[in-house]
């Protein structure tokens, strides 16, 4: 049975709150939103639209990152794009991802950016799974905390399916194969 966790309306509210929090902390600074593909896509697009209501200078870039196989983290984070150094001077970077589960992805990406010379890096996730973290860091901005379940929709996939759903649901066992 399908269990919707966040409807389109719920998501709109959560994203608007995140944009307001980011804007309040970023006055006058140029922001580089760095989305982690592919899961960040609908969230990042909506976040940009919400941020456009606030007076900010924004740039958007992407990194391709992967760690999940089926419904479990492999624990191995692969970053398959290297950004040019010229992106960093004068920018506050905000790494944007769909969900913080073990936290290994965000931790690896932040370390990678610091190695590349980024001066200030913050992190923003739509959701965080309760009790799953395997790292000491916490995301700077988090839309909501959810129970430990495998979810899909709004960019989140199961073996590349379900990203197109405009809402987020828990993937039922009979939908996993
Ligand atoms: P972490 O490295 O364990 O924090 O996992 C982060 C990445 O795993 C996210 O960017 C997602 O791509 C993926 N992920 C974690 N939990 C889920 C889920 O419930 N559904 C779909 N993808 C997930
Ligand atoms: Mg991801």
């Amino acid at each position: 049975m399908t269990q919707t966790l966040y409807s389109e309306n719920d998501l709109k509210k959560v994203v608007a709150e995140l944009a307001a929090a980011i804007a309040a902390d970023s006055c006058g600074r140029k922001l580089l939103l760095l989305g982690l593909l592919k899961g960040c896509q609908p969230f990042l697009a909506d976040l940009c639209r919400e941020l456009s209501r606030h007076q900010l200078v924004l740039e958007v870039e992407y990194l391709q990152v992967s760690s999940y196989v089926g419904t479990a983290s492999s624990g191995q984070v692969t970053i398959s794009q290297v950004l040019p150094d010229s992106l960093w001077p004068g920018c506050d970077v905000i790494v944007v991802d769909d969900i913080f589960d073990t936290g290994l992805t965000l931790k690896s990406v932040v370390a990678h950016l610091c190695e590349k010379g980024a001066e200030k890096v913050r992190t923003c996730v739509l959701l965080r799974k309760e009790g799953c973290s395997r790292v000491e860091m916490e995301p700077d901005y988090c839309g909501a905390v959810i129970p430990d379940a495998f979810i899909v929709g709004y960019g989140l996939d199961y073996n590349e399916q379900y990203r197109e759903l405009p809402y987020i649901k828990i993937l039922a066992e009979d939908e996993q194969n």
Side-chain angles (χ1 to χ4, degrees), residues 14-160:
V14 171
V15 176
E17 283 167 14
L18 283 171
I22 290 172
D25 291 346
S26 310
C27 49
R29 295 281 296 173
K30 184 168 157 188
L31 291 185
L32 173 67
L33 298 187
L34 183 63
L36 304 190
L37 292 171
K38 304 171 190 167
C40 74
Q41 281 184 311
F43 172 42
L44 182 54
D46 287 345
L47 187 65
C48 285
R49 273 189 284 267
E50 287 295 338
L51 282 169
S52 74
R53 301 174 195 276
H54 305 268
Q55 266 68 52
L56 291 168
V57 180
L58 275 190
E59 280 186 30
V60 180
E61 286 289 343
Y62 298 93
L63 268 189
Q64 175 80 54
V65 178
S66 56
S67 65
Y68 250 67
V69 181
T71 60
S73 171
S74 67
Q76 193 71 37
V77 180
T78 309
I79 300 174
S80 46
Q81 187 193 340
V82 179
L83 294 159
D85 294 334
S86 60
L87 286 171
W88 313 125
C91 271
D92 284 3
V93 181
I94 302 188
V95 181
V96 178
D97 203 5
D98 45 13
I99 191 163
F100 184 101
D101 178 9
T102 63
L104 293 168
T105 299
L106 274 191
K107 190 179 171 206
S108 304
V109 170
V110 170
H112 175 73
L113 298 179
C114 292
E115 264 170 41
K116 298 284 290 177
E119 290 159 21
K120 188 170 173 202
V121 181
R122 283 175 282 166
T123 55
C124 172
V125 292
L126 179 69
L127 302 171
R128 179 165 72 77
K129 277 191 203 175
E130 183 137 48
C132 294
S133 178
R134 288 202 244 152
V135 298
E136 270 155 35
M137 71 176 282
E138 286 277 323
D140 296 292
Y141 304 96
C142 172
V145 178
I146 62 162
D148 182 13
F150 193 79
I151 57 167
V152 292
Y154 199 59
L156 289 142
D157 73 305
Y158 170 63
N159 289 340
E160 299 300 329

